[in-house]
Amino acid sequence: MSWALYDWGNSAFATTVMAGFFPVFFKEYWASGLSATDSTFWLGVGNSAASTLMVLFAPLIGALADQGNRKKHYLLLFAFLGALMTSSLFLVASGMWPIALLLYALGIIGFSGSIVPYDALLVDVAEEDELDRVSALGYAMGYLGGGLLFALNVFMVLKPQVFGLIDTGQAVRVSFLMVGIWWALFSIPVMLFVHERHPRPANPHALRGALKEIRENFREVGRYRRVVLFLLAYWLYIDGVDTIVRMAVDYGLAIGFESSDLLTALLITQFVGFPAALVFGYLGDRYGPRKGIMIALAVYIIIVFWAWRMQAIWEFYALAVVIGLVQGGIQSLSRSLYARLIPQDRAGMFYGVYNMLGKFAAVIGPLLVGWVAAVSGDSRLGILAVLFLFVGGFAALQFVTLKK
């Protein structure tokens, strides 16, 4: 439970900031002087720039975390960076969109960097027959914790006077500050109560050892055919998942929906996602994680087609429910399936590669959506471009087996 509580804490950034308020506030407050397509383009650039840095450094973070049992050390370091940058958004004034975008990108780096050692700790807190359920518990706690704070933040934005706030703008800025504090607070249990079960001796030359281990393990990853095939599939389909998370609100605004409706829909996704993630953990236990992932991918393909033709706000609400049913499941089962494919005493390094590809995927998706929307002048075509990522991931996953 202490491990899962970190998901409870950091998911507030993914929900309130990344998926919820930042896209709206960036477009309507910080970048109000830019056109809708230009603000979409720069939001895509900010997401992609942060993800590019994580592509470069995720394997190094993982390898360093493996050196002398330092997973919790690096988790705390990046969690502090993310919480500090998120809190700092409270200070950014209207029109200062470059500074807001920089702090947001650094917040993403803190969020993504902490996930590398956090994911690697899965093999320390769960036995093999518990991987699906424990991984699902983490995501479920994330949906619940992030959803509760997001619900409070949405209420603050809709009724700022109830909280003694001047207006909606101040309510959003205070929400960013609350996310930073919430994130830091729920980082404490994992640091105090989680212990690593696969000890490695301390290395006085950790950086040199990590760089050497990266070279050796990248060669070794290539010898794990199942790992390579899974990482290819994961790279493709998680791009689509992350792109929908990061760009859904911006897309809804671009096609004419009200921001209050979009935020309410996101809140629905959170609370649907809590029980759905637990259900997918059960499905992974019963039928295997690969089948569970394929079910979720089939649903995502339907979601993209539906979003492309969407006209009414009720459809956005319905899509929020459907996304909530599969989003946590595909993430949790991907993490637990990967844990079955890798050597557990080098989980940090292997999860570094896993997160590297996940973040590299997030470079392509937001840029693809923003570029297609800007070139065509049609945001609907941008969201449709995500389709080939899900189809490609589904196809590649057919070749991944769990045989010893």
Side-chain angles (χ1 to χ4, degrees):
M1 182 59 75
S2 296
W3 176 80
L5 279 175
Y6 181 71
D7 232 323
W8 175 289
N10 78 346
S11 290
F13 176 82
T15 305
T16 296
V17 181
M18 227 168 22
F21 289 164
F22 190 87
V24 176
F25 213 54
F26 183 74
K27 187 180 288 288
E28 297 182 352
Y29 182 76
W30 286 313
S32 56
L34 300 179
S35 68
T37 52
D38 283 345
S39 63
T40 296
F41 172 76
W42 283 112
L43 180 61
V45 168
N47 276 303
S48 296
S51 298
T52 300
L53 287 175
M54 288 311 303
V55 167
L56 298 175
F57 290 108
L60 179 61
I61 295 168
L64 285 170
D66 278 339
Q67 301 290 313
N69 297 335
R70 305 284 280 176
K71 296 187 186 78
K72 294 197 297 181
H73 171 85
Y74 285 99
L75 190 157
L76 180 62
L77 177 66
F78 281 98
F80 176 76
L81 171 66
L84 180 62
M85 294 301 102
T86 303
S87 300
S88 298
L89 287 169
F90 171 76
L91 304 173
V92 182
S94 176
M96 300 177 66
W97 67 265
I99 295 176
L101 197 61
L102 175 62
L103 292 176
Y104 172 65
L106 290 172
I108 292 176
I109 290 171
F111 174 79
S112 302
S114 71
I115 291 297
V116 176
Y118 173 70
D119 283 350
L121 283 169
L122 176 61
V123 301
D124 293 293
V125 298
E127 302 295 341
E128 184 171 351
D129 61 349
E130 301 172 325
L131 288 171
D132 297 321
R133 282 180 283 113
V134 174
S135 182
L137 175 64
Y139 276 103
M141 293 295 288
Y143 277 110
L144 185 58
L148 288 173
L149 184 61
F150 187 42
L152 175 61
N153 294 151
V154 168
F155 187 51
M156 287 168 54
V157 168
L158 296 178
K159 303 288 184 181
Q161 288 76 24
V162 173
F163 296 88
L165 301 170
I166 298 172
D167 54 20
T168 295
Q170 188 181 43
V172 173
R173 289 166 54 225
V174 169
S175 295
F176 292 143
L177 180 61
M178 291 175 66
V179 168
I181 295 171
W182 180 276
W183 188 354
L185 179 64
F186 287 101
S187 300
I188 296 173
V190 70
M191 303 309 299
L192 294 179
F193 304 116
V194 172
H195 304 287
E196 298 178 43
R197 295 190 307 173
H198 300 281
R200 299 180 69 179
N203 186 350
H205 307 290
L207 180 59
R208 186 188 308 167
L211 292 173
K212 180 181 179 182
E213 184 168 307
I214 288 174
R215 291 193 298 270
E216 293 175 351
N217 282 345
F218 262 108
R219 288 194 294 268
E220 186 168 347
V221 166
R223 293 195 291 269
Y224 284 77
R225 180 175 178 273
R226 296 177 304 162
V227 172
V228 172
L229 288 171
F230 171 76
L231 289 175
L232 173 62
Y234 177 75
W235 174 37
L236 291 169
Y237 70 70
I238 207 65
D239 187 332
V241 173
D242 285 348
T243 300
I244 287 176
V245 170
R246 299 187 188 197
M247 305 299 285
V249 168
D250 184 87
Y251 174 67
L253 291 171
I255 63 176
F257 295 153
E258 295 294 326
S259 59
S260 58
D261 288 326
L262 302 178
L263 294 176
T264 303
L266 279 177
L267 192 56
I268 292 172
T269 299
Q270 289 300 117
F271 288 108
V272 171
F274 168 63
L278 294 176
V279 169
F280 264 90
Y282 168 79
L283 290 175
D285 258 0
R286 182 76 179 268
Y287 302 107
R290 191 173 74 102
K291 288 183 180 178
I293 293 170
M294 288 192 290
I295 292 170
L297 286 175
V299 174
Y300 266 112
I301 290 170
I302 296 171
I303 286 170
V304 174
F305 275 116
W306 191 355
W308 172 49
R309 303 297 296 171
M310 180 170 52
Q311 299 293 332
I313 188 59
W314 73 264
E315 294 179 277
F316 199 92
Y317 283 117
L319 279 174
V321 172
V322 178
I323 290 171
L325 290 173
V326 294
Q327 182 174 289
I330 198 170
Q331 293 169 322
S332 67
L333 292 183
S334 296
R335 181 166 63 187
S336 61
L337 173 57
Y338 189 66
R340 288 175 166 85
L341 304 175
I342 63 173
Q344 296 194 355
D345 62 338
R346 282 170 290 168
M349 166 57 199
F350 275 81
Y351 270 105
V353 176
Y354 174 84
N355 281 278
M356 178 195 74
L357 289 179
K359 299 307 173 261
F360 183 60
V363 173
I364 299 172
L367 274 182
L368 181 64
V369 172
W371 180 77
V372 172
V375 170
S376 67
D378 186 352
S379 296
R380 293 182 183 275
L381 291 179
I383 203 67
L384 190 62
V386 179
L387 186 64
F388 87 91
L389 300 170
F390 289 123
V391 173
F394 187 93
L397 194 62
Q398 308 308 306
F399 301 96
V400 178
T401 67
L402 285 176
K403 295 179 181 178
K404 296 294 184 184

